[in-house]
């Protein structure tokens, strides 16, 4: 089953690029004006990520990340400076796997909206280079074109480890 399969490098052959001309234009203009930008891949709770994986096209996310990372690379090369960064916070860290219980949930309002505690940790990671020691190694990874494949591997490994060590998560997902 999808829950027990070992992580693999899936083929991206079915991925069709999306139109990112607007991002390219805005990125070029910001870099030209000397503005530094941190693009953030908005994290969702692991329950929402599992729905995407089980019901959608999980590879689309990685294809888009590759395309965005390529825009970042090209803009930075043209600007001759590291003006734009791309950060990914998605994964299976304690911040993204907390059981959603209205009485006890600290980090989430619902599966798509995190509370300020998660936002603060994200800001600390990007601006102060503080990596939370108990959040998992992949919470807050700066992506490059070359690093997306490695990030996908780490994501899949972390996902498999989490799902195998948290059998109750499947029940929570079924009730989601």
């Amino acid at each position: 089953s999808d829950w027990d399969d070992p992580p693999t490098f899936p083929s991206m052959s079915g991925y069709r690029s999306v139109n990112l001309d607007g991002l390219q234009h805005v990125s070029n203009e910001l870099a030209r004006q000397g503005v530094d930008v941190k693009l953030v891949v908005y994290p969702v709770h692991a329950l929402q990520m599992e729905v995407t994986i089980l019901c959608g096209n999980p590879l689309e996310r990685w294809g888009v990340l590759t395309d965005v990372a390529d825009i970042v690379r090209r803009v930075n090369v043209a600007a001759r400076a590291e003006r734009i960064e791309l950060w990914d916070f998605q994964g299976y860290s304690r911040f993204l796997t907390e059981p959603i219980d209205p009485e006890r949930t600290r980090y989430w309002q619902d599966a798509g909206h995190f509370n300020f505690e998660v936002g603060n940790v994200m800001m600390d990671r990007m601006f102060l280079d503080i990596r939370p020691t108990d959040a998992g190694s992949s919470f807050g990874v700066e992506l490059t074109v070359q690093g997306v494949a490695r990030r996908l591997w780490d994501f899949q490994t972390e996902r498999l480890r989490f799902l195998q060590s948290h059998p109750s998560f499947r029940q929570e997902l079924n009730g989601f």
Side-chain angles (χ1 to χ4, degrees), residues 9-122:
F9 286 107
S11 169
M12 296 299 289
S13 61
Y15 170 70
R16 286 180 283 168
S17 292
V18 296
N19 184 338
L20 296 172
D21 291 346
L23 177 64
Q24 177 77 56
H25 174 75
V26 169
S27 299
N28 286 335
E29 188 60 27
L30 291 169
R32 187 185 67 72
Q33 293 182 27
V35 176
D36 293 334
V37 176
K38 294 182 188 295
L39 299 174
V40 176
V41 180
Y42 190 93
V44 295
H45 191 277
L47 288 169
Q48 185 65 46
M49 180 53 63
E50 283 302 310
V51 169
T52 300
I53 290 170
L54 296 173
C55 298
N57 178 1
L59 292 182
E60 184 175 24
R61 175 183 199 275
W62 302 100
V64 171
L65 286 177
T66 301
D67 291 347
V68 172
D70 188 52
I71 288 172
V72 168
R73 180 192 59 77
R74 285 184 280 134
V75 168
N76 287 337
V77 166
R80 295 188 179 114
E82 296 296 315
R83 290 283 177 207
I84 301 180
E85 297 175 359
L86 173 61
W87 287 84
D88 183 25
F89 286 89
Q90 192 59 54
Y92 291 80
S93 71
R94 72 179 175 96
F95 296 112
L96 304 179
T97 59
E98 173 187 54
I100 296 181
D101 175 345
E103 303 294 318
R104 301 180 308 175
T105 302
R106 176 177 179 196
Y107 301 120
W108 291 89
Q109 296 173 33
D110 55 48
H113 298 92
F114 56 80
N115 288 329
F116 75 89
E117 291 88 350
V118 174
N120 286 347
V121 173
M122 292 168 61

